[in-house]
Amino acid sequence: MASSTTIRLHIGNAIPPAGAANSVEIIRLWRQIGTSFSDRPFEAQSGLQDGARAYRVHFDSSRLLQAMEAAIEQNGSFSNHRSAHIDDPGNRIDAELSITITGEAGLPGELESYQVATVFLQQLILATSLIHPGAFQMLNARFLGEGAHRFEAQQYDARILHGALGMAMANGWPGLETPGLETVWHWLDHTGVARAATAISDVDRVLFTLLKIAEQRHEYSARTILLIVYQLEVLLDCRETRNLEQLRNRARLVLGPIPEPADCFTELHEVRDSLFLANQPVHRPPLICHNTATALREQIGQHNSAVEAGTAVVLALLQDLIAHDALAYTFTEQMARR
């Protein structure tokens, strides 16, 4: 007989940065999430060293949605609400989620339940990032309830993904679409990204790395660029040559002509190479506070535009794969004599 256990998660900083229009779109997405995960099959890795098992998941995000709606009502946008919170903590930016795990083979154990809940949240981070980058933020997060002290909640910042969306809109390239939730979730299931601890396929390597990008706090350094270049070289099959022009040309083949302001490939390669030559500055991990992001944007060695533009290219390539129900690109080089 199937039995269930519920994992509760408190997110101290749950309202992502977003202007008025994007705030409305993010709320619309979370309303869809609220109706799509009331009782959903989910096959996931069941333990740190275990294989995948079948579960059913009930995801309650109603309190997060209420917090987002309150932010709009009180201050007009998420970003305005976050600014208002600085002077008045009564403008709350926290929320709570719960995930009920039903094991088809019986009551899930404690470790198994937290493992499956964590994998589900990771897949939801990926899904929301591919639909509306920056729509899900999990900062200052902690599990609640009996036994919760034995597990540490992961942290995901929406800032880089939000910046990638803004950069794509400002440059007019790459064109980021808004694929449907069901389409994206089905594609993620098809990749098998929830069923393994180690990514073997190229697309799963890119998706796991996208989670690592989302973990970066105010981090626009060479380390982040290394992750982005890795994603691009894997997606565009340029790992052996590491050829800048080939990388740029293949991105152009998939996403169309690259406007000059959006061409981040040279800076990405230069910073990646400088990192390996030990020429890049290294910053002290900063105090995280209300003005950290603003203070760091002008710091030498921060590569804001390259990180955001490169992340936008990765997201656009993944969206293109989703639109064509594909998992990889195949490029054929041609030769002609004249």
Side-chain angles (χ1 to χ4, degrees):
M1 181 177 179
S3 301
S4 303
T5 186
T6 297
I7 304 298
R8 294 167 54 216
L9 177 73
H10 180 267
I11 307 174
N13 186 346
I15 304 297
N22 282 334
S23 298
V24 171
E25 291 301 316
I26 290 171
I27 286 176
R28 182 177 293 117
L29 172 58
W30 277 99
R31 286 174 179 160
Q32 294 174 6
I33 291 170
T35 59
S36 297
F37 294 96
S38 60
D39 182 27
R40 194 176 192 104
F42 186 58
E43 190 175 351
Q45 182 197 9
S46 58
L48 297 176
Q49 304 294 330
D50 299 326
R53 295 180 185 173
Y55 303 91
R56 300 197 73 85
V57 171
H58 172 78
F59 180 56
D60 184 357
S61 56
S62 59
R63 293 188 181 182
L64 175 58
L65 180 58
Q66 289 169 7
M68 289 181 168
E69 291 173 337
I72 291 283
E73 182 178 349
Q74 293 170 22
N75 292 292
S77 75
F78 293 166
S79 290
N80 286 346
H81 188 74
R82 290 167 58 84
S83 296
H85 172 74
I86 295 170
D87 296 321
D88 180 7
N91 293 283
R92 296 181 60 176
I93 60 172
D94 66 320
E96 188 174 316
L97 303 172
S98 70
I99 307 164
T100 300
I101 311 294
T102 301
E104 296 192 357
L107 179 66
E110 182 184 62
L111 176 59
E112 182 182 1
S113 299
Y114 278 92
Q115 169 70 17
V116 175
T118 296
V119 173
F120 177 81
L121 288 168
Q122 289 177 346
Q123 184 141 320
L124 195 59
I125 288 284
L126 292 173
T128 54
S129 298
L130 291 167
I131 298 167
H132 189 107
F136 191 7
Q137 180 160 282
M138 281 176 50
L139 296 178
N140 191 20
R142 69 184 190 278
F143 292 118
L144 302 175
E146 185 179 357
H149 65 284
R150 291 190 282 266
F151 303 93
E152 183 173 326
Q154 296 175 345
Q155 315 289 320
Y156 295 102
D157 197 338
R159 189 170 299 278
I160 289 179
L161 295 160
H162 168 72
L165 177 61
M167 185 66 71
M169 295 176 65
N171 290 333
W173 189 94
L176 291 178
E177 306 296 334
T178 309
L181 175 60
E182 290 299 325
T183 300
V184 171
W185 196 264
H186 172 79
W187 183 81
L188 288 170
D189 279 343
H190 185 40
T191 68
V193 71
R195 296 191 288 273
T198 303
I200 303 299
S201 70
D202 286 347
V203 71
D204 283 355
R205 293 178 188 180
V206 172
L207 292 171
F208 277 10
T209 305
L210 185 58
L211 288 172
K212 295 182 183 297
I213 294 291
E215 288 178 325
Q216 306 298 304
R217 292 301 315 273
H218 302 295
E219 185 65 74
Y220 293 85
S221 69
R223 178 178 61 179
T224 313
I225 282 184
L226 190 64
L227 297 174
I228 294 168
V229 173
Y230 171 80
Q231 290 177 297
L232 291 171
E233 289 181 343
V234 170
L235 279 170
L236 297 173
D237 196 20
C238 294
R239 288 164 293 183
E240 294 183 4
T241 62
R242 291 188 173 177
N243 183 287
L244 172 60
E245 285 308 310
Q246 186 182 58
L247 192 71
R248 180 185 285 114
N249 289 336
R250 289 185 172 183
R252 186 183 294 116
L253 281 173
V254 178
L255 303 176
I258 306 173
E260 185 175 347
D263 191 344
C264 59
F265 294 95
T266 297
E267 183 177 358
L268 289 172
H269 261 245
E270 288 178 349
V271 174
R272 192 269 302 273
D273 292 345
S274 294
L275 179 64
F276 285 124
L277 294 173
N279 290 332
Q280 281 293 317
V282 177
H283 300 302
R284 180 193 305 277
L287 169 69
I288 302 298
C289 62
H290 64 87
N291 67 345
T292 300
T294 302
L296 290 185
R297 286 197 75 87
E298 303 302 323
Q299 190 176 49
I300 295 174
Q302 292 278 114
H303 305 280
N304 307 291
S305 61
V307 166
E308 292 172 347
T311 300
V313 176
V314 171
L315 293 171
L317 291 170
L318 290 171
Q319 286 186 351
D320 178 78
L321 289 174
I322 292 169
H324 293 87
D325 197 21
L327 298 180
Y329 295 105
T330 299
F331 296 94
T332 304
E333 311 296 341
Q334 295 183 344
M335 184 274 288
R337 293 185 175 87
R338 58 185 177 87

